[in-house]
């Protein structure tokens, strides 16, 4: 570690002074790079851009990584406590994890750093922690398990791999730089050593910052714009739908928290891509290129589920995904979807092992994901192009508000 | 596909006009994003930055993706010809592949687009094609196989998985956006349908553009700066060492080409990270934080292999990686290393399935990789932290210079 603090100090100072320089970098990159890109040699140093310089605060009422804009790269990891670990060991782990996450998200090296991210900025790194149902029994905290953390019911068409489902603890890592993300993954894994072991791990991705002019939504591997109908944080009922507020009694530790539903959803891309685009659009209910609902307008125009076409039939078909998933079709059920795509190569049958690492956030899964998925699994035209291969649900406590605090303290230190 | 051309036309026009706007985006991103990053809602549109707007020309004397700066995201894929495919089918495939690659690298949708990358810029996409030894027999071109494309000799410590080694055809995809890269992967796979099937596929990554101030070299998963001693394209003998020039006779089709050695090298990261940093530095021969050789100076100072420390011993130990790998230790053997890191989760034994997708370029593998690796596999201190798990070598022809040309034409249409 020698000199790493000094080096990091310089980097941080440069980072804080970057705003004035980033403009020039953007200009040079966009205008001149074409001419020089075939030659590798470049300037000895280039300023960090927003990709590197952006820091997302670790401390706050809510954990980061829920309403944070989706990052380019993500790791989802579930851990199981080792047999001898109970509540004190879990508390110590959450303290170590929080301390390491706080340092890394601020662009500082954590204790015992392996230096993978040494000269990178914080790159919008977020680390989000959650607890699965099995965590509470193993730590003697059965009576404090929230009622909302129900057992996930089976859905028609589920084809779940239990070894890649569930888990005592969950960590969601997101960053706009792959090495910053993998650095956090390694550091948190090492910090868990002796207390918790990896149960499953999945790697995902989204658009890189600055790769597209469309900032709020991304395309998935079906080529479809995803997330258009997400609730907006400025909606008056956003917090009530997504975050737990004013929890009382044994569940007070969930105040400011949320519930994450995590599903590995493989897309049958070979089948999907054989479907003509106009039929793909009728499966979804939106235009593929613009994301506009088939009832007209632009991406952000609300879908008119009653609109009909010139031939008198519904503009958005009866089994279209956006109709079946719409809050209006589900008694107002709302969730914030914040997923990553994945592509892990190929399966033995030759099909791409690719799709969506679906992550949905809500104040109550029974009134969010479970309600919507019951409808989708039954009558959604998109379902025949998807395979749900794993499933998990986690109680994600509120953020550590105090600089000395750690995530989960009010559960683990009663 | 309806309207995709029109939409793309708008995107392209915006893209060409982006240089003036990118500065503002960088400024906003770096200076203000901290305050708003916890809230997802943002402006309706943001301009492309250099990440999205940079295009690397497909046509040229050399293929792109060799001296192109390393991109953030990469796919390496090997294909085998299907039993009925011979030279005409392979020629038609190379024509389809070149046409699709040319469109996508310019930010245009390819024929039959699946629209995954529809509203993204070209994002420095490169696509590089190569031929393995087995390609020549299957296409009746045995007599045109270059002498330099030798069978890879075995090295001590090799632990190769044949199913992830070799291959008739090789495609290297690199881009600064994950969805642009995976779009190219899907499009090229579909274009191969009926002619060639995927033999193996690997996903890798490097630093995102703008994530660090260090533009020429990246860190690998050992935390070590990698690529410092790479030859520089401005070196007077660079072209002679890396590219085939003036090839004659049956090998004239390799003029302007190069040879790629591709090895999946797993890093024993748990072992490595247990080693104190000063011992890691003696294994490599460089400072971990700055990349400077242990003989002194900065990252770019040439290593002084004769320098001694205060105690009279060699500053760069006798078995240090940079000493054993140095051209001076190998009769001037030079290769251009342009690798990706990978992290595919965990192996059954609990160890991380992570390391380097090593890619090395040279005009003659016998005088490049093979010479150096013979030395390394014998006496390199780093070798005990590495496992070579797959190996392949490909003849990568020169670029398609003419807009109507395709890669490999002078081999396939004699």
């Amino acid at each position: 570690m020698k000199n790493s603090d000094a080096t990091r100090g310089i980097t941080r100072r440069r980072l804080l002074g970057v705003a004035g320089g980033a403009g020039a970098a953007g200009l040079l990159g966009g205008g001149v790079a074409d001419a020089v890109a075939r030659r590798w040699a470049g300037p000895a140093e280039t300023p960090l851009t927003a990709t590197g310089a952006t820091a997302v605060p670790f401390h706050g009422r809510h954990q980061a990584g829920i309403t944070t804009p989706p990052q380019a790269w993500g790791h989802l990891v579930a851990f199981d406590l080792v047999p001898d670990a109970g509540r004190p060991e879990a508390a110590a782990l959450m303290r170590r994890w929080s301390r390491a996450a706080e340092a890394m998200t601020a662009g500082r090296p954590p204790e015992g750093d392996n230096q993978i991210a040494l000269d990178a900025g914080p790159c919008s790194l977020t680390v989000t922690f959650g607890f699965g149902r099995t965590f509470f029994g193993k730590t003697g905290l059965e009576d404090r398990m929230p009622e909302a953390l129900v057992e996930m019911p089976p859905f028609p068409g589920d084809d779940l791999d239990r070894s890649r489902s569930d888990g005592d603890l969950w960590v969601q890592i997101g960053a706009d730089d792959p090495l910053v993300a993998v650095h956090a993954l390694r550091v948190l894994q090492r910090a868990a050593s002796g207390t918790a072991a990896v149960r499953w791990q999945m790697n995902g991705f989204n658009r890189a910052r600055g790769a597209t002019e469309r900032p709020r939504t991304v395309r998935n591997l079906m080529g479809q714009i995803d997330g258009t109908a997400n609730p907006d944080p400025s909606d008056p009922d956003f917090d009530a739908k997504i975050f737990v507020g004013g929890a009382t009694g044994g569940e007070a530790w969930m105040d400011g928290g949320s519930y994450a539903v995590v599903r590995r959803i493989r897309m049958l891309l070979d089948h999907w891509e054989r479907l003509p685009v106009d039929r793909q659009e009728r499966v979804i209910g939106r235009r593929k290129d613009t994301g506009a609902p088939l009832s007209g307008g632009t991406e952000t125009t609300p879908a008119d589920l009653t609109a009909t076409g010139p031939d008198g039939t519904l503009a958005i078909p009866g089994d279209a995904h956006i109709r079946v998933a719409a809050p209006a079709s589900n008694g107002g059920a709302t969730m914030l979807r914040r997923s990553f795509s994945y592509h892990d190569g190929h399966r033995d049958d030759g099909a791409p092992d690719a799709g969506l690492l679906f992550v949905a956030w809500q104040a109550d899964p029974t009134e969010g994901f479970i309600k919507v998925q019951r409808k989708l699994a039954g009558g959604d035209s998109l379902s025949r192009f998807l395979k749900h291969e794993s499933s998990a649900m986690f109680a994600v406590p509120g953020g550590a508000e105090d600089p000395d605090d750690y995530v989960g303290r009010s559960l683990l230190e009663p």
Side-chain angles (χ1 to χ4, degrees), chain A:
Chain A
M1 247 62 52
K2 66 182 176 188
N3 289 312
S4 70
D5 283 348
T7 306
R8 179 55 79 166
I10 294 167
T11 302
R12 290 292 294 165
R13 280 194 297 281
R14 284 205 184 115
L15 193 159
L16 295 170
V18 78
L27 205 64
L28 180 71
V32 183
D34 281 21
V36 299
R38 293 299 287 273
R39 284 288 164 190
W40 195 332
E45 290 213 331
T46 55
L48 293 181
T49 67
T51 298
T54 302
V56 183
F58 177 73
H59 293 287
R61 172 161 164 72
H62 310 300
Q63 289 193 61
I66 303 173
T67 56
T68 310
Q71 299 103 328
W73 180 264
H75 298 291
L76 307 183
V77 202
F79 292 82
D80 282 341
L81 292 171
V82 301
D84 288 343
R87 184 163 63 80
E89 291 77 15
L93 174 59
M94 293 308 296
R95 185 184 288 277
R96 289 197 299 277
W97 271 357
S98 292
R99 196 186 301 131
E102 193 277 328
M104 294 187 288
T105 53
R108 297 196 319 271
E111 214 175 299
D113 189 26
N114 57 21
Q115 305 195 14
I116 295 176
L118 191 62
D119 36 17
C123 299
S124 299
L125 175 69
T126 59
V127 180
T128 319
F129 302 107
F131 303 113
R133 283 176 61 88
T134 48
F135 178 81
F136 296 87
K138 293 185 188 175
T139 51
L141 293 164
E142 295 90 339
D143 57 337
R144 306 194 66 201
M145 185 164 81
E147 273 184 40
L149 191 65
V150 296
E151 201 149 350
M152 184 71 81
F155 299 103
D158 272 5
D159 186 15
L160 305 183
D161 175 354
R162 294 321 319 182
S163 70
R164 294 203 290 186
S165 297
D166 307 324
D168 297 344
L169 291 150
W170 178 60
V171 182
Q172 173 192 257
I173 296 166
D176 279 331
D177 176 74
L179 281 162
V180 165
V182 91
H183 173 243
L185 174 68
R186 287 288 304 161
V187 165
L188 297 173
Q189 278 179 355
R190 285 180 65 199
S193 178
T195 303
V198 172
R199 178 181 171 88
W200 52 258
Q201 186 209 316
M202 301 174 189
N203 302 330
F205 54 84
N206 273 309
R207 275 269 174 269
R209 183 191 275 252
T212 169
E213 294 169 315
R214 190 183 298 277
R216 286 188 64 245
T217 49
V218 296
R219 286 187 192 269
N220 60 33
L221 296 191
M222 287 177 155
Q224 202 73 38
I225 294 171
D226 201 343
T228 303
N230 255 338
D232 192 294
S234 64
D235 294 344
D237 62 350
F238 180 86
D239 278 10
K241 295 278 194 185
I242 307 305
F243 292 113
V244 178
T248 55
E251 302 181 17
W253 64 273
M254 274 297 288
D255 183 42
S258 185
Y259 293 90
V261 170
V262 182
R263 312 266 288 184
R264 184 179 174 99
I265 305 178
R266 183 161 57 90
M267 294 170 167
L268 308 183
L269 292 177
D270 290 336
H271 295 188
W272 175 254
E273 292 183 357
R274 277 197 288 271
L275 207 65
V277 170
D278 61 335
R279 289 192 50 203
Q280 292 178 351
E281 292 178 334
R282 292 177 59 79
V283 168
I284 303 291
R286 290 189 180 277
R287 287 277 299 273
K288 194 171 180 184
D289 52 359
T290 63
L294 295 184
S295 50
T298 67
E299 182 193 345
T300 51
T301 306
D304 178 356
L305 299 177
T306 63
T308 51
D311 62 355
T313 61
L314 286 168
I316 297 171
D319 58 358
H321 178 70
I322 65 164
R323 176 187 295 276
V324 183
S329 309
N330 295 282
T334 301
M335 54 187 164
L336 177 69
R337 288 166 294 130
R338 188 181 184 281
S339 308
F340 294 91
S341 289
Y342 73 92
H343 196 303
D344 288 343
H346 286 77
R347 292 155 46 89
D348 290 342
D349 64 5
D353 187 9
L356 199 66
L357 303 180
F358 173 90
V359 182
W361 298 91
Q362 58 260 293
D364 182 352
T366 303
E367 291 300 310
F369 173 79
I370 293 172
K371 196 177 241 182
V372 176
Q373 184 58 20
R374 280 217 169 96
K375 214 56 179 286
L376 289 174
D380 167 31
S381 173
L382 181 60
S383 296
R384 64 203 156 97
F385 298 99
L386 305 176
K387 280 270 175 231
H388 287 242
E389 297 191 329
S390 82
S391 178
M393 194 196 298
F394 301 99
V396 172
E401 294 198 62
D402 189 84
D404 294 326
D405 209 2
Y406 65 89
V407 172
R409 180 179 207 152
S410 54
L411 169 67
L412 293 162
E413 296 182 24

